Amino acid sequence: MSLGERLLELRKSKHLSQEEVADKLNVSRQTISKWETDSSTPDFDKIIPICELFEISTDELLTGNKEATEEKVNNYSMSEEEKSHKRIGGIVFSIFLYFIALAWIMTSVAALKFDPVISSAIFLLICGVATCVIIYSCIVYKKEKTEEEENPIIKKIDEIVSIITLVVYLLVSFLTMAWHITWIIWIIYALVMEIIKLLFMLKGDNNEK
């Protein structure tokens, strides 16, 4: 589609006559007619006013790339509620994967007679996928203002839980000497904090409603 055809289509979509468009752009009706028939093209200083009149980007006007423009608008216009749902879904799925990983490491060697090395590798792979899902969900669908910034209670809870986690981690690690696996305690800590944040976030959303 040529530039003139696009201008004609845009004018009709706005239900405007050539005279009305000419009046808004401070040009003659004959100039609009020449643009639409590709007899001439708009001057450079008329590109922005045309885009503002038809509520489109310069890229859409010059190239007709409407789909890319709409896609960008949709990406940037995702509501906080939609982000919240996607973030919660990602975290819930990652928690499920962590439980799968724990169930696997507890049963694969003793019950299924898997090689310990292979079993540990699969366990780490599942944990890695779960961690990537959490990171992706929290970064891509991050709220503009986090709950921690708005709610000092979460900060206090985080401080207390982190201290308790450190004590438990060191105690269990020294008593069992299983340093290769006690790091899971920190994963549990991260999950607990995410659940607490979600609870506060859901409570806040309910209060707003």
Side-chain angles (χ1 to χ4, degrees):
M1 182 183 293
S2 67
L3 176 59
E5 291 172 333
R6 279 195 293 276
L7 289 171
L8 175 62
E9 185 178 275
L10 288 168
R11 178 174 63 80
K12 289 183 176 179
S13 68
K14 292 292 184 180
H15 306 289
L16 296 172
S17 65
Q18 288 185 343
E19 289 82 0
E20 290 172 323
V21 173
D23 182 62
K24 292 179 183 294
L25 297 177
N26 294 319
V27 295
S28 65
R29 187 198 64 79
Q30 290 78 9
T31 299
I32 301 299
S33 177
K34 289 180 179 180
W35 290 352
E36 293 180 352
T37 57
D38 290 314
S39 299
S40 65
T41 57
D43 293 335
F44 181 78
D45 62 341
K46 295 299 180 183
I47 298 297
I48 298 300
I50 291 173
C51 292
E52 291 177 348
L53 174 62
F54 295 123
E55 299 178 327
I56 60 173
S57 67
T58 54
D59 181 61
E60 182 178 345
L61 174 65
L62 298 176
T63 67
N65 194 8
K66 185 176 180 179
E67 292 183 359
T69 303
E70 290 180 346
E71 183 178 353
K72 291 179 181 178
V73 171
N74 290 334
N75 287 340
Y76 288 116
S77 63
M78 183 180 293
S79 67
E80 287 298 325
E81 184 177 358
E82 291 173 328
K83 289 182 181 179
S84 175
H85 289 164
K86 289 182 178 294
R87 186 168 61 253
I88 292 173
I91 293 172
V92 169
F93 179 66
S94 64
I95 291 173
F96 173 74
L97 288 179
Y98 281 124
F99 278 116
I100 292 293
L102 289 173
W104 168 261
I105 201 65
M106 292 171 62
T107 60
S108 59
V109 177
L112 302 178
K113 307 302 181 183
F114 262 77
D115 182 90
V117 176
I118 297 177
S119 178
S120 299
I122 294 175
F123 168 77
L124 292 174
L125 177 62
I126 298 174
C127 288
V129 172
T131 303
C132 289
V133 171
I134 285 183
I135 294 173
Y136 179 86
S137 300
C138 292
I139 291 178
V140 174
Y141 304 115
K142 181 181 179 180
K143 294 187 70 173
E144 293 299 324
K145 292 184 179 179
T146 62
E147 295 296 324
E148 302 97 305
E149 293 175 343
E150 298 178 354
N151 197 332
I153 297 177
I154 294 181
K155 287 186 177 182
K156 286 294 181 183
I157 294 175
D158 192 9
E159 291 174 2
I160 295 172
V161 175
S162 62
I163 292 173
I164 294 174
T165 303
L166 178 60
V167 172
V168 172
Y169 169 71
L170 293 175
L171 184 62
V172 173
S173 297
F174 278 114
L175 290 177
T176 63
M177 297 306 294
W179 296 88
H180 62 289
I181 198 171
T182 52
W183 57 269
I184 294 175
I185 294 174
W186 290 106
I187 294 178
I188 297 173
Y189 154 76
L191 292 175
V192 169
M193 285 309 305
E194 287 298 329
I195 292 171
I196 291 173
K197 293 172 188 176
L198 287 175
L199 291 176
F200 273 88
M201 181 180 63
L202 293 174
K203 182 180 178 181
D205 291 342
N206 291 332
N207 289 338
E208 290 177 0
K209 295 178 181 179

